[in-house]
């Protein structure tokens, strides 16, 4: 697969790419792209790692699967391409930013500007078959993204991990809370946002933590 990835991630993940399970994931994904419509487009599978290098990563937002509608997924969790209707979960994310930081709700749901500031928007599963949510779960992607989380946990300090919903919280259960900041709440989905996502103040708390450790705050 012709994918773009920041050199620092390529180096850090080289051993992972050589493992048998990852070769199996690669073979499965190649076959899926040949036989079906799959998202995101092939070159953007590792977009989260291309737009936010290992050394720049200071916030990690863990999502689930890519969006499965045409033209939506761009390889960053929760983000959609310019010109695409903003999905309900992202609308709720923008609403929480508006309520806690007083910012206007953006016209575009493209979150690349977050990635460029050091926010790694990592889906647990990096690909999905069109109109078939969860279709690429259990194929090995989760093992890979768990290795990424563990790498950040071990090799970096004072990273903010934002864990919305049960799936994300399970992925983050081994993060060292003495070294990092963990912000956990309900998922921004319309089904659960009123159960603790709204009012979680995560965007404010993340910036306060970054500032405390001498890091540039994120312009959410």
């Amino acid at each position: 697969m012709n994918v773009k990835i920041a050199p620092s991630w390529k180096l850090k993940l080289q051993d992972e790419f050589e493992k048998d399970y990852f070769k199996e994931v690669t073979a499965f994904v190649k076959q899926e792209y040949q036989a079906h419509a799959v998202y995101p487009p092939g070159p953007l599978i590792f977009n989260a790692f291309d737009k936010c290098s290992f050394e720049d990563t200071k916030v990690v937002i863990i999502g689930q699967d890519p969006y499965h509608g045409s033209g939506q997924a761009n390889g960053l969790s929760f983000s959609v391409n310019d010109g695409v209707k903003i999905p309900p979960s992202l609308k709720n994310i923008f609403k929480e930013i508006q309520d806690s930081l007083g910012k206007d709700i953006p016209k575009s749901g493209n979150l690349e500007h977050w990635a460029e500031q050091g926010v790694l928007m990592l889906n647990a599963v990096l690909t999905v078959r069109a109109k078939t949510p969860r279709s690429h779960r259990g194929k090995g992607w989760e093992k890979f993204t768990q290795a990424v989380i563990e790498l950040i946990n071990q090799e970096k300090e004072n990273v903010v991990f934002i864990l919305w919903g049960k799936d994300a919280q399970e992925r983050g259960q081994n993060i060292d809370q003495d070294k990092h900041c963990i912000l956990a709440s309900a998922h921004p989905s319309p089904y659960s946002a009123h159960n603790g996502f709204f009012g979680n103040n995560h965007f404010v708390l993340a910036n306060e933590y970054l500032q405390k450790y001498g890091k540039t705050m994120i312009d959410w």
Side-chain angles (χ1 to χ4, degrees):
M1 284 181 289
N2 179 26
V3 296
K4 287 179 71 184
I5 180 169
S8 55
W9 279 117
K10 197 170 186 178
L11 190 64
K12 292 284 184 186
L13 295 171
Q14 197 57 53
D15 288 349
E16 212 62 32
F17 291 148
E18 295 300 322
K19 290 182 180 175
D20 287 345
Y21 87 87
F22 192 84
K23 290 175 180 173
E24 288 169 15
V25 175
T26 304
F28 165 76
V29 168
K30 279 182 177 172
Q31 194 174 23
E32 284 284 292
Y33 273 90
Q34 286 166 3
H36 307 278
V38 175
Y39 304 124
L44 296 181
I45 293 173
F46 286 89
N47 199 27
F49 301 95
D50 189 50
K51 292 290 188 290
C52 179
S53 66
F54 177 80
E55 61 269 25
D56 288 344
T57 298
K58 53 190 177 185
V59 178
V60 180
I61 298 178
I62 299 174
Q64 296 175 14
D65 299 54
Y67 295 118
H68 55 87
S70 176
Q72 289 181 301
N74 62 10
L76 309 175
S77 62
F78 295 103
S79 175
V80 290
N81 287 319
D82 291 323
V84 173
K85 185 181 175 185
I86 297 175
S89 290
L90 185 52
K91 268 188 189 168
N92 287 337
I93 289 169
F94 286 155
K95 185 176 185 307
E96 174 59 24
I97 291 171
Q98 183 183 47
D99 291 347
S100 60
L101 292 168
K103 285 177 168 272
D104 292 338
I105 290 179
K107 299 277 192 294
S108 171
N110 193 332
L111 303 179
E112 274 189 19
H113 61 290
W114 290 7
E116 287 160 0
Q117 297 176 78
V119 182
L120 181 70
M121 283 168 277
L122 180 66
N123 277 319
V125 176
L126 299 190
T127 54
V128 68
R129 195 185 290 184
K131 300 180 183 174
T132 319
R134 299 174 177 255
S135 51
H136 286 186
R137 290 195 178 189
K139 304 296 184 183
W141 276 134
E142 295 93 336
K143 189 170 182 178
F144 172 72
T145 50
Q146 199 63 48
V148 171
I149 293 164
E150 187 52 32
L151 180 72
I152 297 167
N153 178 41
Q154 287 184 359
E155 296 197 15
K156 292 185 75 78
E157 289 185 358
N158 309 132
V159 172
V160 180
F161 287 86
I162 295 179
L163 311 176
W164 295 324
K166 191 174 144 206
D167 277 14
Q169 285 156 29
E170 283 177 2
R171 311 225 140 267
Q173 60 190 0
N174 294 323
I175 295 164
D176 185 343
Q177 298 187 47
D178 294 328
K179 273 174 73 180
H180 304 289
C181 173
I182 298 173
L183 301 175
S185 78
H187 194 275
S189 154
Y191 300 107
S192 56
H194 289 282
N195 294 330
F197 176 77
F198 289 130
N200 66 19
N201 223 25
H202 281 182
F203 300 100
V204 172
L205 293 170
N207 273 346
E208 285 176 352
Y209 183 85
L210 293 174
Q211 191 175 35
K212 178 182 173 183
Y213 287 98
K215 300 185 181 187
T216 311
M217 295 190 290
I218 306 297
D219 179 8
W220 300 108

